[in-house]
Amino acid sequence: MVRIDLLLPRRPSRLTFNFSRIARIKMFRLAHCVRLFLCAVVIISVASILFIHHGNDLDQEEIDAKLRQFAPGQIGELCREDGGGEKRIIFIETSGEKCLRPRQACAVESAARTNPDMSIYLYMATERPPGNPEADKGEGLQRDCKTMEVLESLANVYVMRSDLPKHLVDTPLESLYFGGKLKGSDYAFQHLSDALRVALLYKHGGIYLDLDVVVLRSLRCLRNTAGHTFILGESSIENGFMAFDRGHKLLKFFMRWMQRSYKPNERSVIGPNGLSRAFQMLCNHPSKVISDSVYDFKCHDGVEIRLHNKTAFHPITYFEQNRFYEENFDEEELDTFSQSYSVHVYGSGHGAHVPQTSLFAFMANQFCPSTYQFHLQGLYVF
């Protein structure tokens, strides 16, 4: 006999019903929590991305501001007052060529733009000096008369074409040249420039600069000063930047030393080596103990000289010159020049390649824009 009650569907017990309901509620709550968690992750991720992007924007704004401010009149001046010296800057080109190389023109343009209150004199030889120039190969060495158009457009630049050796007359260096010693030098081009810069400063006063510099700031406060660097533990007083009054006794002492000690086959004998030696003799100061800071010297016969450390004129040394030419330079490099009046661009006169994203290219674009613009237009190679 079959029991009817076994064939009928059973009603779930109250306990079973409650358990199923609780399970559904828990599953719902778990799903809700998962949704909330995922939403939170998405929100945090988006916020992080926005924050990072905003941070990058701020960093880029700081970088852009730094780049914009690295320009004449924006960079921040180091001169607080006028030094009282002659308001003239001197460059010398001894080759006898009619036009400059683009990088030489850049030096003159940068000086003119950063020192509009000073007269810029470019002395150019009308005749080729005796001897042979140093043989260089590479880029930026071709002369182009577009460079002279740039200089002629600058109101405070004066191109002085003349027989340069005549400026040695009535100085202790007159016999050095006209007696034939300098004419027989293996380095006649360089030695004539070394002699002329001292003679012109002695006769006229002012500031002498090499043609491979970029001037960053006003030089009006610099007077009776030069810069030194340390090479192999000894101080070398560089003659690529000199600021002296007319008739300064160090210049006269140095010219007399040149006349006595000249050696035609030594490249730097009347350059940095000679200037360093003359200073050490006049100021009774050994070469190894010159401080790596700005220092005022009181020398024999009441001579006063200030030496600046390498940061002022040579912030990137000869042994670090590759920093000028590396592609995609780091903007932090600009901090190197925070206390620099000018920058000696080692290698620029010897054909080093200048990528458009290099430090030297950026400096040229900022401080000699007219010269560099002709390069960008493809008229010559900078």
Side-chain angles (χ1 to χ4, degrees):
M1 178 175 169
V2 179
R3 292 182 55 184
I4 302 296
D5 60 329
L6 295 177
L7 300 176
L8 295 174
R10 293 185 179 181
R11 294 184 59 189
S13 68
R14 184 180 297 272
L15 180 62
T16 302
F17 176 79
N18 288 339
F19 176 80
S20 300
R21 184 182 179 195
I22 291 171
R24 286 196 302 273
I25 292 173
K26 286 184 176 181
M27 290 296 294
F28 175 78
R29 289 179 176 175
L30 178 61
H32 182 64
C33 289
V34 169
R35 285 195 297 272
L36 290 177
F37 174 76
L38 292 175
C39 288
V41 168
V42 171
I43 291 171
I44 292 172
S45 299
V46 171
S48 299
I49 293 171
L50 291 175
F51 177 78
I52 292 171
H53 181 71
H54 181 63
N56 288 340
D57 284 346
L58 291 178
D59 291 342
Q60 189 60 47
E61 287 177 7
E62 292 177 0
I63 292 170
D64 291 344
K66 179 183 288 189
L67 296 178
R68 285 195 303 271
Q69 291 169 4
F70 195 78
Q74 303 293 323
I75 191 172
E77 298 296 344
L78 298 177
C79 287
R80 302 304 178 201
E81 57 186 17
D82 196 312
E86 286 83 357
K87 298 296 182 291
R88 52 188 288 130
I89 295 174
I90 298 170
F91 293 93
I92 301 173
E93 216 290 332
T94 59
S95 70
E97 300 286 350
K98 294 182 178 181
C99 302
L100 295 184
R101 296 169 174 173
R103 299 177 195 181
Q104 293 176 324
C106 180
V108 180
E109 182 184 351
S110 69
R113 290 187 181 279
T114 53
N115 291 270
D117 58 336
M118 301 182 75
S119 297
I120 317 299
Y121 292 92
L122 170 61
Y123 288 86
M124 298 187 70
T126 52
E127 295 183 4
R128 180 188 176 95
N132 297 310
E134 294 177 294
D136 292 313
K137 295 181 180 179
E139 298 181 6
L141 301 179
Q142 296 298 316
R143 299 175 185 276
D144 194 296
C145 289
K146 287 287 184 183
T147 59
M148 307 311 294
E149 293 180 15
V150 171
L151 302 187
E152 290 168 2
S153 71
L154 300 169
N156 58 334
V157 173
Y158 303 91
V159 179
M160 315 292 287
R161 300 181 187 272
S162 66
D163 176 24
L164 293 184
K166 73 178 184 181
H167 297 290
L168 302 177
V169 175
D170 297 328
T171 76
L173 299 177
E174 181 176 357
S175 63
L176 187 66
Y177 183 83
F178 293 99
K181 287 184 180 180
L182 196 148
K183 293 180 182 179
S185 169
D186 292 340
Y187 303 100
F189 279 66
Q190 183 61 47
H191 288 173
L192 179 59
S193 177
D194 287 336
L196 283 168
R197 67 189 69 180
V198 179
L200 285 168
L201 284 179
Y202 182 75
K203 285 186 172 183
H204 304 290
I207 298 172
Y208 168 80
L209 296 174
D210 274 348
L211 280 167
D212 56 356
V213 306
V214 176
V215 183
L216 305 180
R217 294 177 166 91
S218 171
L219 309 178
R220 64 189 178 89
C221 60
L222 300 176
R223 184 180 182 187
N224 299 327
T225 188
H228 72 87
T229 61
F230 283 98
I231 300 176
L232 301 178
E234 295 195 6
S235 179
S236 173
I237 302 176
E238 298 295 310
N239 69 339
F241 186 111
M242 298 186 291
F244 286 100
D245 290 347
R246 179 189 299 115
H248 195 276
K249 292 179 180 179
L250 172 63
L251 300 178
K252 188 172 185 178
F253 182 86
F254 184 25
M255 287 190 291
R256 287 176 173 171
W257 185 91
M258 287 186 198
Q259 200 277 332
R260 294 194 308 268
S261 305
Y262 180 67
K263 297 177 181 178
N265 297 326
E266 292 186 15
R267 187 182 191 280
S268 297
V269 64
I270 58 174
N273 291 353
L275 180 59
S276 299
R277 181 60 178 155
F279 168 80
Q280 290 155 15
M281 293 172 65
L282 184 65
C283 298
N284 193 28
H285 208 287
S287 64
K288 293 186 178 181
V289 294
I290 295 176
S291 172
D292 191 22
S293 61
V294 179
Y295 196 87
D296 293 317
F297 291 87
K298 295 186 181 297
C299 308
H300 295 302
D301 202 18
V303 174
E304 295 185 358
I305 303 167
R306 167 172 285 192
L307 289 186
H308 284 266
N309 63 15
K310 72 180 187 68
T311 303
F313 314 121
H314 310 89
I316 295 179
T317 67
Y318 174 85
F319 300 102
E320 304 170 313
Q321 62 180 274
N322 62 302
R323 290 164 61 183
F324 289 118
Y325 309 106
E326 293 173 346
E327 293 190 28
N328 302 315
F329 79 96
D330 188 335
E331 67 278 354
E332 295 300 322
E333 282 278 22
L334 302 184
D335 296 336
T336 304
F337 310 125
S338 62
Q339 298 299 310
S340 300
Y341 293 94
S342 64
V343 180
H344 192 122
V345 186
Y346 292 103
S348 69
H350 300 286
H353 172 61
V354 183
Q356 288 194 14
T357 57
S358 67
L359 176 60
F360 188 21
F362 176 73
M363 294 168 61
N365 191 59
Q366 298 296 96
F367 289 90
C368 57
S370 297
T371 300
Y372 194 66
Q373 188 61 34
F374 281 137
H375 161 74
L376 295 179
Q377 293 173 3
L379 299 180
Y380 53 58
V381 176
F382 184 81

